[in-house]
Amino acid sequence: MACANTSWSEENFSCSICLDVFSSPVTTACGHNFCRTCITKFWDEQVQYKCPVCNEIFHTRPDLRVNTFLSELAAQIRTTVRVKEQPCVEPGDIPCDVCTGTQQKAVKSCLVCIISYCQTHLEPHQKVAGLKKHRLVEPMDRLEDRMCKKHDRLLELFCQTEQVCVCLLCTVTDHKSHPVVPLKEEYEVKMAQLGKRGAEVPQMIQERKQKIKEIKDTVELSNKDADREIAQGGQVFTALIGCVEKGRDEFNQTVQEKLKSTVKRAEDLIKELEQEIEDLTNRSAKVKRLSHTEDHLHFLQACRSLKDPPPTRDWTTVEVRPPSYVGALRRSLDQLEETLNMEMKKPDDGELKRVQQYEVDVILDPDTAYPKLILSEDWKQVHDGGLRKRLPYNPKRFTKCISVLTRQSFSSGRFYFEVQIKDKAKWWLGVARESIDRKGLTEWTRQTGHWTLCYRNNALMFFDNPDYSLFFPVRAKLQKVGVLVDYDEGLVSFYDVETRVHIYSATGCTFTEPLYPFVGPCDHQDGRNSAPLIISPVNQTD
């Protein structure tokens, strides 16, 4: 930007009333100049029309006209003043600290004077012997911030111990023995680290966007699952309500029929009793009349005509008992229970498919396997070999229970795996916490850190605690069992994969340690239980 330079004085073109550069200047008869607005306002407030400068009185109010020449000069002066007030420094330049009025661009900064100089004011540092010794650098802003507050020296080193900028004197005082490097060297290191972090940030942002998408997809899936469950549940409850209403109607009908039968029998008995009473009453009246006759002939003839008394029932053993309705209610409730069980056992293909999406790939850990167990080369199968192997001591190994854990453990979220149990006469399956007792014979309950389903004697069992076990009848031969664990919700569920039927869910579980899938093939029982347990891949098209 070019700097304005003029010999005009701003004071020579100023109104003596407002003291500012003329605006629409006018000239009085006495030769003095004023802004048109200023002199007009001045005369409006006076009794006499006079000049504010020389006090010359005008008998009539002067007719004022704009001084065109003076107006043009005033306009140039106003432009010059605006230019003069603007510094001659481009954006991003360091201004000279010495310039007054129009600031010039600094060409050097003195680290001794702590001042930035333009070319004109720098001349003494280039000519005066004492100033020539001062250290000049490229122009810098905020020079005071670049100086050590304690030693008043330039901060040109970096202390790697305390991660601060220091001066040369700091390295022999407060930062003695600390590793220090030039600012440029540390700058390059930090810039490289910053570049690396800068390259990582987009990936971190992308990962978080992906996580947001996953969460939104989960919410959307949850909404769809909830709608489907509500619809299916509504159908089940509608069927149950219909069953309950039907059972209620049948129960009421049974009660009414029993009541009707009882009432009818009572009415028949009453009718029969009333008939006997009527017959006996008539006979009694005849006997009474005959007992009052004194005519021998008539009496004997009348006695002959009296028939023998009608036969009567022995009423001492006859009674009417209120009907019992307990049996009818019990039968209705049993039928309702059976219907409910049938609804609960209906296969839900959609539920198992939703569960199977949490499949994890796990392998068995030979370091935990009971010494008699034999694992396949891919560590997916295990069975009892019958012979106890001599193995080195391992704190992770089971020494009393014929079991094995997987290498993988889980501490959050959901996970699901399937195990083939075909042709097995006995087995254990589920999950166990990391700190379970592996050297003794412990009850496998949730209190000891086991959430497992057991099969033996043609029945399924879940040991909730030492004093309480749940038994489940096996309707068909199991081929494969699926295990779902929701760590955060405290849930362990078991499924019959082939029939796609839910077997049992342990709810309200408390997990505070990593959980390991737990597989127990049990002893081979002279070959009757020699089939292996196999960790199988999930096939949702089964």
Side-chain angles (χ1 to χ4, degrees):
M1 179 185 293
C3 296
N5 188 13
T6 179
S7 59
W8 294 340
S9 172
E10 179 181 343
E11 296 177 357
N12 295 333
F13 296 88
S14 298
C15 172
S16 59
I17 297 177
C18 66
L19 304 179
D20 200 355
V21 178
F22 288 122
S23 175
S24 299
V26 294
T27 305
T28 62
C30 59
H32 295 110
N33 300 298
F34 307 93
C35 296
R36 186 186 190 93
T37 303
C38 293
I39 190 63
T40 300
K41 183 177 181 182
F42 177 80
W43 282 343
D44 289 341
E45 297 173 351
Q46 301 295 322
V47 176
Q48 294 181 322
Y49 304 115
K50 63 179 180 178
C51 175
V53 177
C54 64
N55 290 322
E56 181 178 345
I57 297 176
F58 307 106
H59 298 291
T60 60
R61 184 165 182 157
D63 185 15
L64 301 176
R65 295 184 179 180
V66 175
N67 188 325
T68 305
F69 177 74
L70 186 60
S71 179
E72 293 177 353
L73 290 178
Q76 295 182 28
I77 286 295
R78 281 195 297 270
T79 303
T80 302
V81 169
R82 287 196 297 269
V83 172
K84 184 178 179 181
E85 290 174 350
Q86 296 177 0
C88 294
V89 180
E90 296 292 340
D93 290 340
I94 305 300
C96 175
D97 294 328
V98 181
C99 288
T100 58
T102 302
Q103 284 187 302
Q104 301 291 330
K105 176 183 176 181
V107 294
K108 293 290 181 180
S109 294
C110 178
L111 298 180
V112 178
C113 302
I114 316 299
I115 293 177
S116 296
Y117 297 102
C118 64
Q119 186 60 53
T120 301
H121 294 114
L122 183 65
E123 291 181 1
H125 280 74
Q126 297 172 333
K127 297 178 179 179
V128 180
L131 297 179
K132 286 184 178 180
K133 298 179 180 179
H134 288 190
R135 184 178 176 185
L136 299 176
V137 297
E138 293 301 313
M140 297 180 178
D141 61 339
R142 302 176 61 88
L143 282 173
E144 63 278 4
D145 294 340
R146 299 175 180 271
M147 306 302 293
C148 176
K149 305 298 182 184
K150 186 172 183 179
H151 302 110
D152 203 24
R153 298 286 296 271
L154 181 67
L155 298 171
E156 52 187 340
L157 300 171
F158 186 81
C159 174
Q160 295 179 327
T161 300
E162 298 187 14
Q163 294 289 299
V164 294
C165 298
V166 297
C167 71
L168 188 60
L169 290 180
C170 290
T171 61
V172 295
T173 54
D174 298 342
H175 298 267
K176 186 178 181 180
S177 75
H178 290 182
V180 295
V181 295
L183 291 181
K184 182 180 179 181
E185 181 178 333
E186 187 65 23
Y187 166 84
E188 292 174 350
V189 172
K190 288 288 195 295
M191 186 60 71
Q193 293 175 351
L194 186 62
K196 183 179 179 181
R197 293 194 189 100
E200 294 173 349
V201 167
Q203 181 180 354
M204 295 172 66
I205 292 174
Q206 187 60 35
E207 290 174 351
R208 280 149 182 77
K209 287 183 177 179
Q210 182 62 30
K211 181 57 68 175
I212 290 175
K213 182 179 182 301
E214 291 176 2
I215 293 174
K216 288 183 177 179
D217 290 345
T218 300
V219 171
E220 183 179 357
L221 179 62
S222 299
N223 286 329
K224 292 181 179 179
D225 289 346
D227 292 340
R228 182 168 46 249
E229 289 296 328
I230 290 174
Q232 294 177 351
Q235 294 176 357
V236 172
F237 280 108
T238 300
L240 290 177
I241 291 172
C243 182
V244 170
E245 291 176 346
K246 180 181 178 182
R248 179 196 61 194
D249 294 342
E250 291 177 351
F251 170 73
N252 291 343
Q253 183 178 356
T254 300
V255 171
Q256 291 295 334
E257 288 177 352
K258 284 192 173 186
L259 175 61
K260 183 178 179 180
S261 177
T262 301
V263 171
K264 186 178 184 307
R265 181 170 183 273
E267 290 175 347
D268 290 344
L269 291 175
I270 291 173
K271 185 176 181 181
E272 185 179 349
L273 285 169
E274 289 177 343
Q275 184 62 47
E276 288 190 2
I277 291 173
E278 182 181 355
D279 293 341
L280 291 174
T281 300
N282 292 336
R283 183 178 180 81
S284 177
K286 290 180 179 181
V287 171
K288 185 175 181 181
R289 287 196 301 270
L290 186 60
S291 64
H292 288 88
T293 183
E294 293 180 357
D295 185 342
H296 298 164
L297 178 62
H298 178 70
F299 175 80
L300 292 175
Q301 289 177 342
C303 284
R304 184 178 176 183
S305 63
L306 282 176
K307 296 180 180 178
D308 294 333
T312 58
R313 181 185 295 193
D314 181 6
W315 292 98
T316 59
T317 59
V318 176
E319 62 180 4
V320 177
R321 296 180 179 179
S324 173
Y325 306 117
V326 176
L329 179 60
R330 182 71 265 170
R331 284 191 299 274
S332 296
L333 293 177
D334 289 343
Q335 185 176 358
L336 179 61
E337 182 180 5
E338 182 179 355
T339 303
L340 178 61
N341 289 333
M342 290 176 62
E343 290 291 338
M344 294 296 292
K345 291 298 182 180
K346 281 184 178 179
D348 186 352
D349 186 65
E351 178 185 358
L352 188 58
K353 282 186 177 181
R354 292 191 294 275
V355 166
Q356 289 176 327
Q357 67 178 318
Y358 300 106
E359 176 193 10
V360 292
D361 185 16
V362 294
I363 59 175
L364 301 172
D365 184 1
D367 290 339
T368 66
Y370 181 72
K372 290 172 59 179
L373 294 181
I374 297 177
L375 277 61
S376 61
E377 292 183 358
D378 61 357
W379 294 334
K380 292 284 188 177
Q381 304 184 26
V382 59
H383 69 279
D384 178 19
L387 297 177
R388 187 181 183 93
K389 299 184 291 288
R390 296 180 62 86
L391 299 173
Y393 174 80
N394 191 321
K396 298 194 299 182
R397 187 181 307 284
F398 288 100
T399 57
K400 298 293 184 181
C401 299
I402 308 177
S403 307
V404 60
L405 302 177
T406 63
R407 283 190 173 181
Q408 295 79 11
S409 64
F410 304 89
S411 301
S412 64
R414 297 176 180 176
F415 63 94
Y416 173 82
F417 62 95
E418 293 180 353
V419 178
Q420 178 179 309
I421 41 82
K422 182 179 179 181
D423 298 328
K424 292 290 293 180
K426 185 179 179 181
W427 48 263
W428 290 85
L429 188 62
V431 292
R433 69 188 180 204
E434 188 173 37
S435 65
I436 57 172
D437 181 11
R438 309 186 189 194
K439 305 302 178 184
L441 290 172
T442 306
E443 291 286 346
W444 290 353
T445 66
R446 67 167 69 193
Q447 281 74 19
T448 61
H450 300 78
W451 292 267
T452 56
L453 194 66
C454 171
Y455 176 75
R456 65 185 182 191
N457 299 327
N458 294 320
L460 291 170
M461 291 168 285
F462 183 88
F463 294 94
D464 195 64
N465 60 59
D467 300 323
Y468 182 69
S469 301
L470 299 172
F471 292 84
F472 311 95
V474 180
R475 297 179 181 272
K477 195 69 173 179
L478 288 172
Q479 303 291 316
K480 189 182 294 184
V481 173
V483 182
L484 170 72
V485 177
D486 190 326
Y487 193 100
D488 303 320
E489 292 293 331
L491 172 72
V492 181
S493 297
F494 300 90
Y495 296 86
D496 180 349
V497 177
E498 298 300 320
T499 62
R500 314 191 82 76
V501 169
H502 170 258
I503 299 175
Y504 174 70
S505 288
T507 59
C509 306
T510 302
F511 304 132
T512 57
E513 302 177 23
L515 296 179
Y516 289 83
F518 177 99
V519 179
C522 299
D523 59 275
H524 63 78
Q525 296 182 344
D526 296 327
R528 296 190 304 275
N529 192 37
S530 60
L533 289 178
I534 305 174
I535 298 177
S536 306
V538 171
N539 184 359
Q540 296 192 20
T541 61
D542 284 346

